[in-house]
Amino acid sequence: MAELQEHHSGRRIPYSDAELLDYGPPETLTGERLNQIAFPLGGIGTGCVSLSGRGELIDWEIFGRPNKGYRPSYTSLLLQMRPQGDDPALRVVEGELAPPYTGRGMRDGNFRGSGFGPPREFLSGFLRYRECGFTGAFPFARVDLRDPAVPVSATIEAWSPFIPLQIEDSSIPAAVLDVTLVNESDAPMEITLAMGLENIVGWPEEGGCRTEWRDSEHWRGLSMSTSRHDPDSPRYGSLALMTPHKQVTYQTRFGSAEWFGISESLLFDFGETGRFGGPTEPAESPDGQAHVAHMGLVETLAPGEPRRLTFVLGWLTPNFEHYWGGGEVWKTHHGRLWWSAVEVASYVVRHIERLRDGTRAFRETFDETTMPRYVLDAVSSQMSILNSPTVTRLPDGTLYGFEGCHATSGCCSGSCTHVWSYAQTMAYLFPRLERGMRTQDYEVNLRESDGHMQFRLPLPPGAEADHEFHAAADGQMGGVLRTYREWLISGDDEWLRGLWPKVRKALEYAWVAWDPGRVGLLEGVHHNTLDIEYHGPDTVCGTMYLAALRAGEEMARRVGDDHAADEYRRVRESGRKLTDDRLFNGEYYFQEIPPGVDAAYQYGEGCICDQVLGQWHARILGLGDILDPINVRSALAAVFRHNFRDGFRDHHNPHRVYALNDDKGLLICTWPRGRRPERSLTYAFECMVGFEYQVGAHMIYEGLLREGLTVCKAIRDRHDGARRNPYDEFECGSHYARSMSNYSYLLALSGFRYSAAEATLHLDPKIRAGDFACFFSVESGWGVVRHRYEEGRPVLAVEVREGKLRVDRAYVGGTELTPDEAVAVPTRPITLTVEGAS
């Protein structure tokens, strides 16, 4: 990697080059690394059910709010096998349970939980597969199950439709379980693969839950609804379990649920015959109770034959409750699109080949990217945030986000701009959704009189911002930068012109509250993402201001507002000089606390990790140098030297604990030169994943390649399945939105940037430049861009898998390339070469 490393931090790298350049397919996890896995399945904003590392369906979060730890009773996959000339066999299609076996957990209570062992409602005493491996490649999760004592091996591939640019097909409240069974014996075998489903519609106010069988030409299965709750209640909803398989056995409830009747019926009746003998007529549960229904898919397997059997689980909770506010209820976007879970699940069954192929094409294209596997794992795994309860969709389809999730409620509501401005993933995969958030933000949160913006979107839909609190400087300037990003990706001049007066007002609010002298420094008191106010100029918010001025200049010129553009340029140039002169100590940037100010929670002369945050945005957006690039590089090198920890056994942390023992990670702030304020910065002693990704990707942009890769690998090592869930990088709650800053690793390592308005593509590979490929997605299409050298000259190839991409010119490290065709489409890639090259 020596020839790829442009600069060095002067600190030892804790990983070898072999570890940092670890290419290959996604890793298969086994043993204790299965323990924390919970892979979210569902649509964008619809809630989710998670697949555990052992194949269990856990964390049913489909009721309009988080619900960690909740799992319906008897909702498991069962495989009954009837070998020719041999006794029948039964297995739960999961890996063996891991310790502890005390029973302690969410279901604690009389005669269950602690002191009663693992819950029988999860068939904990039934036999399972001894060998289990989990491979995650979002949107797909695969559990491989083998056992020398079992004649049929099983592979569960769980997924939900997730296709870039296809917003509605990626927002279906459904999960697909494709189970491939292989007859490992020498004789034909009849099998029944069954799935149980407790009718939990109306949870936690159950009762009046109706279960019935539905059958159609293309699908069949179980329909679950409620008669207890009115259609406008937040408890109203439905469930469906469907299959395209024709030969089935089913029951709508058990004949008897006394004592151990349910589990004994599964073991001794279904386990012997492979058929369900319970009632098949519609069933409605008494008040406070829920029935369990089952559906089994019957098939015969020849020796060595694999067969894929499919279950589709659909749900619909159409009404969203403002449970943390005034209790108002409104219809969600998916509640307006779908009438019932039967409609949802049957749609997926009817279109399953198209949805599966489209989702698979996305993942396979993504996997063509020639970057280390942990980078691809980081970026793709946190796409699952969009399938988690962190987000919902408002009635008009606008995406609304919490910052993260508590166990049973959202954490920090309002699509908080100072958190979501770090996130990059959705802007590229689903640009129209991201643009909708910009439009809503400026329509609702902006005070027209002076440009003050509320940084949390109020609810219910239609509520007005109250403007009773500070504006967030980083979030408000981030909104300007995100507007420019959305315009770059879409090229939509009409959208930009319509929004520009509000964007200008928001940007110039800095001259009202923070920089009244228009010198380019935020000298006024300004709120920020660490939930405190900075007193005096700093460079975290300060560089966001300078970058926003630079983006504002570009947008102003695009819409013909040259007077504003000239003023933004003047203020920015002044601010750049003042920042480099006054706020750089020769090693890194610091905060200047005004004389006589004794405010709490300042960082002063500390080395804060995201001290050049605005320059990161500027690199992503092609806005050039916001500050002296030598100083910026020095500052990032200092952050790595002083803030990165190879381990935490010598680090006391009085704040929230996101890294400890032999974890590696990057601290929010340190004071290498001493003089830490007595009431120092909030969260300073923590590692916060979204910040780490932002800083690490920025290091790569500035030539600190090993350092940037080290930060990413450290994060993924902490989320290895044994210590933490790889699909839940928590910061202030689970599935934290700021983790989606990690998409910038794709951008930094590739140098990919595209202007739709100018039809211009930029690429600057930082690794494997002679044989490089990278997934890309913008509003007009997605695919892969490739880079190689021919006779020492760069050659690009653009392969579009969906949509199209117009490229009039491209640049690789400053060298201009011209295309052989103007527009790439799926049937015709384009090649770009240096003009005049043969």
Side-chain angles (χ1 to χ4, degrees):
M1 198 194 296
E3 71 279 6
L4 305 173
Q5 182 90 15
E6 297 177 36
H7 305 284
H8 299 270
S9 64
R11 184 196 187 281
R12 186 185 71 87
I13 302 296
Y15 297 110
S16 68
D17 283 0
E19 290 173 305
L20 290 178
L21 295 180
D22 178 23
Y23 300 100
E27 187 179 5
T28 296
L29 308 181
T30 60
E32 66 175 7
R33 296 187 66 185
L34 303 173
N35 292 352
Q36 299 297 320
I37 294 172
F39 184 103
L41 300 165
I44 299 173
T46 69
C48 62
V49 175
S50 292
L51 185 75
S52 81
R54 291 176 169 80
E56 305 143 302
L57 291 174
I58 61 174
D59 295 347
W60 287 60
E61 303 179 280
I62 60 175
F63 304 108
R65 61 191 300 170
N67 201 18
K68 293 295 180 198
Y70 178 69
R71 180 181 175 189
S73 297
Y74 303 104
T75 301
S76 302
L77 288 170
L78 282 168
L79 178 62
Q80 200 269 357
M81 297 155 280
R82 302 177 292 285
Q84 273 191 3
D86 206 344
D87 293 333
L90 180 70
R91 288 293 186 276
V92 178
V93 188
E94 300 170 4
E96 291 185 331
L97 299 182
Y101 303 128
T102 59
R104 185 67 185 263
M106 293 289 289
R107 288 176 170 259
D108 277 7
N110 291 342
F111 302 105
R112 63 172 58 186
S114 184
F116 285 84
R120 69 174 182 272
E121 294 88 353
F122 301 159
L123 303 179
S124 301
F126 281 38
L127 297 180
R128 285 160 164 76
Y129 282 81
R130 293 177 59 185
E131 300 173 12
C132 178
F134 178 94
T135 308
F138 184 86
F140 295 94
R142 193 183 77 233
V143 177
D144 294 304
L145 299 161
R146 304 287 185 273
D147 193 322
V150 180
V152 176
S153 59
T155 295
I156 304 168
E157 186 173 62
W159 58 280
S160 296
F162 193 93
I163 307 167
L165 311 184
Q166 301 299 315
I167 296 172
E168 300 310 335
D169 274 346
S170 302
S171 301
I172 301 173
V176 181
L177 301 178
D178 285 328
V179 183
T180 299
L181 304 173
V182 179
N183 181 359
E184 308 285 0
S185 74
D186 297 329
M189 186 178 312
E190 189 177 70
I191 59 95
T192 302
L193 177 68
M195 182 171 170
L197 182 60
E198 184 181 18
N199 188 339
I200 54 174
V201 177
W203 187 92
E205 301 170 19
E206 296 161 319
C209 302
R210 180 177 175 83
T211 304
E212 58 186 314
W213 182 255
R214 300 285 297 274
D215 205 330
S216 179
E217 179 183 358
H218 301 292
W219 53 265
R220 54 214 46 84
L222 297 161
S223 168
M224 297 181 173
S225 57
T226 176
S227 62
R228 176 177 175 178
H229 300 286
D230 295 333
D232 59 354
S233 166
R235 306 288 174 262
Y236 183 78
S238 53
L239 282 169
L241 183 63
M242 297 290 173
T243 184
H245 199 72
K246 295 188 180 300
Q247 190 175 355
V248 297
T249 176
Y250 69 93
Q251 60 188 24
T252 55
R253 64 180 178 87
F254 284 93
S256 172
E258 295 181 357
W259 282 92
F260 306 111
I262 292 178
S263 52
E264 288 185 353
S265 173
L266 289 172
L267 180 60
F268 300 124
D269 297 334
F270 175 76
E272 290 292 326
T273 66
R275 300 294 188 272
F276 291 108
T280 57
E281 66 274 9
E284 188 164 308
S285 66
D287 189 48
Q289 296 182 30
H291 286 150
V292 178
H294 277 81
M295 176 171 66
L297 316 185
V298 182
E299 190 56 86
T300 299
L301 302 179
E305 180 186 7
R307 183 66 59 88
R308 183 173 67 193
L309 302 176
T310 297
F311 293 98
V312 175
L313 174 67
W315 59 87
L316 188 65
T317 303
N319 306 314
F320 193 91
E321 181 181 11
H322 192 195
Y323 56 84
W324 69 96
E328 303 91 347
V329 177
W330 58 86
K331 194 78 72 178
T332 63
H333 178 67
H334 56 275
R336 293 169 64 91
L337 291 181
W338 306 98
W339 287 102
S340 70
V342 168
E343 185 186 15
V344 171
S346 62
Y347 174 87
V348 174
V349 172
R350 293 196 313 273
H351 298 274
I352 197 162
E353 296 300 330
R354 176 180 62 83
L355 296 172
R356 185 190 286 119
D357 290 349
T359 303
R360 182 93 60 198
F362 160 56
R363 181 65 210 200
E364 289 178 348
T365 302
F366 185 83
D367 281 339
E368 292 182 47
T369 303
T370 54
M371 294 181 190
R373 77 172 87 204
Y374 59 87
V375 172
L376 300 184
D377 181 50
V379 174
S380 63
S381 66
Q382 300 317 297
M383 293 175 186
S384 67
I385 293 168
L386 298 176
N387 291 352
S388 79
T390 293
V391 300
T392 184
R393 292 181 68 189
L394 301 177
D396 65 356
T398 300
L399 188 127
Y400 175 94
F402 295 89
E403 294 181 25
C405 299
H406 295 296
T408 58
S409 63
C411 179
C412 305
S413 60
S415 303
C416 177
T417 59
H418 63 63
V419 169
W420 277 84
S421 63
Y422 285 76
Q424 302 292 329
T425 303
M426 194 172 74
Y428 290 89
L429 297 185
F430 302 102
R432 291 183 182 273
L433 268 184
E434 188 75 50
R435 273 199 289 152
M437 293 182 77
R438 294 295 77 67
T439 301
Q440 187 89 323
D441 189 25
Y442 286 111
E443 286 181 353
V444 177
N445 287 337
L446 180 76
R447 186 166 63 198
E448 294 282 357
S449 62
D450 63 358
H452 176 282
M453 291 191 73
Q454 183 169 294
F455 57 84
R456 297 190 190 275
L457 186 73
L459 290 177
E464 295 182 356
D466 58 33
H467 299 283
E468 293 181 352
F469 193 68
H470 300 283
D474 47 359
Q476 188 150 331
M477 297 301 102
V480 176
L481 289 161
R482 294 155 83 192
T483 302
Y484 181 66
R485 178 189 64 191
E486 269 64 274
W487 173 74
L488 278 181
I489 291 171
S490 69
D492 192 334
D493 285 335
E494 182 179 354
W495 176 79
L496 179 62
R497 287 192 181 94
L499 211 57
W500 172 246
K502 294 179 182 292
V503 176
R504 175 176 174 172
K505 182 73 73 170
L507 175 55
E508 294 178 8
Y509 177 74
W511 302 341
V512 175
W514 307 315
D515 181 22
R518 302 191 189 185
V519 299
L521 290 180
L522 299 182
E523 296 183 302
V525 176
H526 48 287
H527 187 74
N528 64 86
T529 196
L530 296 181
D531 302 321
I532 47 88
E533 289 74 52
Y534 287 141
H535 292 251
D538 73 289
T539 58
V540 179
C541 297
T543 57
M544 290 293 284
Y545 175 39
L546 297 179
L549 287 167
R550 179 71 183 88
E553 178 188 349
E554 290 293 315
M555 290 186 284
R557 296 206 189 282
R558 185 70 183 186
V559 301
D561 192 351
D562 289 336
H563 175 74
D566 291 343
E567 182 66 356
Y568 297 158
R569 182 182 183 89
R570 185 195 68 77
V571 175
R572 176 179 57 81
E573 289 177 347
S574 170
R576 170 175 172 162
K577 185 177 188 307
L578 288 172
T579 299
D580 279 323
D581 288 349
R582 285 173 50 182
L583 303 181
F584 186 73
N585 64 13
E587 184 186 12
Y588 58 84
Y589 291 95
F590 60 93
Q591 178 198 8
E592 184 182 90
I593 302 175
V597 171
D598 184 26
Y601 315 126
Q602 308 303 293
Y603 69 91
E605 297 183 45
C607 181
I608 196 167
C609 69
D610 59 341
Q611 58 190 261
V612 283
L613 174 62
Q615 185 65 74
W616 171 70
H617 282 279
R619 290 285 179 253
I620 291 171
L621 301 175
L623 293 172
D625 293 322
I626 301 304
L627 297 174
D628 184 324
I630 296 175
N631 292 354
V632 168
R633 189 180 310 124
S634 172
L636 288 170
V639 168
F640 190 77
R641 280 196 306 275
H642 301 309
N643 295 30
F644 190 82
R645 293 287 182 271
D646 293 353
F648 288 82
R649 289 195 167 97
D650 61 352
H651 175 73
H652 283 298
N653 176 10
H655 299 164
R656 300 170 302 183
V657 181
Y658 302 142
L660 72 168
N661 300 336
D662 62 348
D663 288 333
K664 298 178 177 65
L666 190 76
L667 297 175
I668 290 292
C669 193
T670 60
W671 284 265
R673 301 186 177 199
R675 296 186 288 277
R676 177 173 63 84
E678 182 179 350
R679 295 169 297 168
S680 60
L681 192 68
T682 51
Y683 316 131
F685 299 90
E686 301 176 6
C687 294
M688 294 168 70
V689 173
F691 291 85
E692 292 177 276
Y693 279 132
Q694 177 267 310
V695 175
H698 192 185
M699 289 175 179
I700 292 171
Y701 272 120
E702 304 298 341
L704 298 165
L705 179 62
R706 284 185 179 88
E707 289 83 350
L709 291 175
T710 292
V711 172
C712 184
K713 182 165 174 55
I715 296 169
R716 294 313 290 166
D717 285 352
R718 298 203 307 262
H719 297 81
D720 63 354
R723 309 171 196 225
R724 300 169 188 85
N725 180 8
Y727 305 95
D728 179 6
E729 292 180 347
F730 50 89
E731 189 174 303
C732 182
S734 296
H735 310 293
Y736 202 76
R738 197 175 350 236
S739 277
M740 291 187 287
S741 63
N742 64 19
Y743 194 90
S744 63
Y745 268 87
L746 282 188
L747 305 175
L749 285 167
S750 65
F752 177 87
R753 192 172 78 251
Y754 178 71
S755 168
E758 303 293 339
T760 301
L761 172 68
H762 293 261
L763 203 74
D764 186 16
K766 299 297 192 296
I767 52 176
R768 297 184 61 168
D771 182 19
F772 180 82
C774 184
F775 168 82
F776 74 86
S777 180
V778 294
E779 186 156 319
S780 65
W782 57 269
V784 64
V785 58
R786 302 183 188 279
H787 177 271
R788 67 183 189 275
Y789 290 107
E790 290 184 359
E791 297 181 352
R793 294 175 171 175
V795 176
L796 292 186
V798 178
E799 302 171 9
V800 170
R801 303 294 160 80
E802 182 176 312
K804 62 183 179 180
L805 190 74
R806 182 177 184 89
V807 183
D808 290 342
R809 61 186 179 275
Y811 294 91
V812 176
T815 301
E816 184 173 353
L817 287 74
T818 55
D820 58 356
E821 296 282 349
V823 181
V825 296
T827 57
R828 187 187 66 240
I830 62 176
T831 301
L832 300 98
T833 56
V834 177
E835 192 168 9
S838 56

